[in-house]
Amino acid sequence: MKQSLRIWLEAARPKTLPLALVSILTGSVLAYSTHQFSFIVAVLAFLTATLLQILSNLANDYGDAVKGTDNEKRLGPVRAIQSGSVSLRDMKQAIVINIILTMASGLVLVFYALESLNSILAFIGLGVLAIIAAIAYTVGNKPYGYVGLGDISVFIFFGLLGVAGTYFLHTGVVAPLLTLPAVGCGLLAVAVLNINNMRDIENDKECGKRTVAVRLGQKKAKYYHSVLLAGALVAFLVYLMLHPGPWWISLPFFLSVLVAYKHARAVWLAEQPAHIAPMMPVIVKCSLVTNILFAGVVIAQTLVS
């Protein structure tokens, strides 16, 4: 029993879960800054986002295994099906169960947070799209992750919709200024995916998986990565500067600039894809630290305003 639980826990890839949670954190904190924060909405949103991320991880495990992308040449951690610990049939069942749990959590969230029928239907539609996007990334005859569209999907769902959608669930409105932190969140999420793709660039190319990193090549992918990090930091900083409050409250956020610079420099100096592999947890931590520092500053600005 313990062995089985450990296998499925590893298949869920808990180290990637912050990728989904940071957009919920940012959207919730921004709602708090307007004094319209709901603890129950935040908890339900965190749960739904976590289930969606796990669904994406399980589907990715299944899709890449079927297509032969998960092989001995892949540099990332050995996945559940690849290792032989989980069969294709069991993974499909796990995906179905996860879809049911995700839908249940999402419906509870939507019906608790929203009153307008139009808003409820719109969020149900977005939820269905999110589930389809999580699965279709690597599963199916024409998975969009294999033609380089994964970055766009991650930017939309883990950035724009993640932040703005969470804020709307708390407040019932969407403010134009939300675009800045939503973009920041989305770009950092894409940076996480880019490190994953840079790590597996050689194997992906051989297997016909045309990610953005494969299309750009290793050197240009490094430039791309630096742009993603810089763009995210600028977006967050501009929002903080436009937000009312003493300027000195924003100073702690500059710690994220140091963290991002150290990571970007390490990526730039990496000579082989194998050198990129250890950087996956680093970029996840970079995204988490940046969003937490941003959230802390927003909360501090709210308390003193």
Side-chain angles (χ1 to χ4, degrees):
M1 179 66 181
K2 290 183 178 180
Q3 178 71 5
S4 177
L5 183 62
R6 183 185 64 81
I7 290 172
W8 284 109
L9 182 62
E10 291 178 354
R13 288 187 258 168
K15 292 181 180 179
T16 68
L17 297 185
L19 181 64
L21 300 182
V22 289
S23 63
I24 308 301
L25 169 67
T26 300
S28 295
V29 167
L30 290 169
Y32 173 82
S33 71
T34 66
H35 308 289
Q36 299 181 78
F37 173 81
S38 167
F39 178 76
I40 295 178
V41 168
V43 170
L44 289 172
F46 274 118
L47 176 60
T48 304
T50 299
L51 289 170
L52 269 172
Q53 181 62 53
I54 293 174
L55 173 61
S56 177
N57 292 339
L58 297 179
N60 190 243
D61 196 315
Y62 179 86
D64 280 343
V66 169
K67 290 174 174 57
T69 308
D70 284 347
N71 53 48
E72 67 281 355
K73 295 182 180 180
R74 182 176 172 274
L75 296 177
V78 177
R79 292 177 176 169
I81 296 176
Q82 179 187 6
S83 67
S85 302
V86 175
S87 68
L88 289 173
R89 180 175 176 273
D90 288 342
M91 185 60 77
K92 286 177 70 174
Q93 291 180 343
I95 290 171
V96 171
I97 293 172
N98 192 275
I99 290 173
I100 294 172
L101 292 175
T102 302
M103 291 177 65
S105 175
L107 286 173
V108 172
L109 168 62
V110 168
F111 281 105
Y112 177 84
L114 304 174
E115 296 180 358
S116 166
L117 178 60
N118 288 338
S119 296
I120 291 173
L121 292 176
F123 268 82
I124 289 176
L126 289 173
V128 171
L129 285 176
I131 290 173
I132 293 173
I135 297 172
Y137 178 65
T138 59
V139 177
N141 294 328
K142 295 181 180 180
Y144 66 87
Y146 277 67
V147 294
L149 297 178
D151 293 44
I152 296 175
S153 177
V154 165
F155 178 73
I156 292 173
F157 286 100
F158 292 105
L160 301 183
L161 290 180
V163 174
T166 301
Y167 183 88
F168 187 90
L169 288 167
H170 283 286
T171 66
V173 297
V174 175
L177 203 56
L178 286 176
T179 302
L180 289 168
V183 166
C185 227
L187 291 178
L188 286 175
V190 176
V192 174
L193 179 61
N194 191 53
I195 285 293
N196 179 82
N197 293 339
M198 288 175 67
R199 177 195 67 197
D200 296 326
I201 190 169
E202 293 179 351
N203 185 56
D204 285 348
K205 186 176 182 179
E206 290 182 10
C207 295
K209 190 175 183 180
R210 302 284 293 171
T211 64
V212 171
V214 169
R215 291 177 179 275
L216 291 176
Q218 193 72 273
K219 185 175 182 179
K220 290 182 179 179
K222 291 180 179 180
Y223 280 118
Y224 176 55
H225 195 70
S226 296
V227 170
L228 291 173
L229 294 174
L233 293 173
V234 169
F236 282 124
L237 282 169
V238 171
Y239 177 88
L240 293 177
M241 287 188 292
L242 294 175
H243 199 271
W247 64 269
W248 49 267
I249 291 181
S250 300
L251 290 179
F253 181 77
F254 284 89
L255 291 173
S256 64
V257 177
L258 297 178
V259 173
Y261 172 77
K262 183 178 179 181
H263 167 68
R265 186 172 185 275
V267 170
W268 186 252
L269 294 176
E271 297 180 357
Q272 301 293 332
H275 301 156
I276 300 289
M279 296 181 190
M280 177 55 74
V282 178
I283 182 57
V284 172
K285 290 178 182 177
C286 181
S287 175
L288 189 59
V289 167
T290 301
N291 280 276
I292 288 176
L293 287 172
F294 174 78
V297 172
V298 170
I299 291 173
Q301 289 179 333
T302 303
L303 293 176
V304 301
S305 61

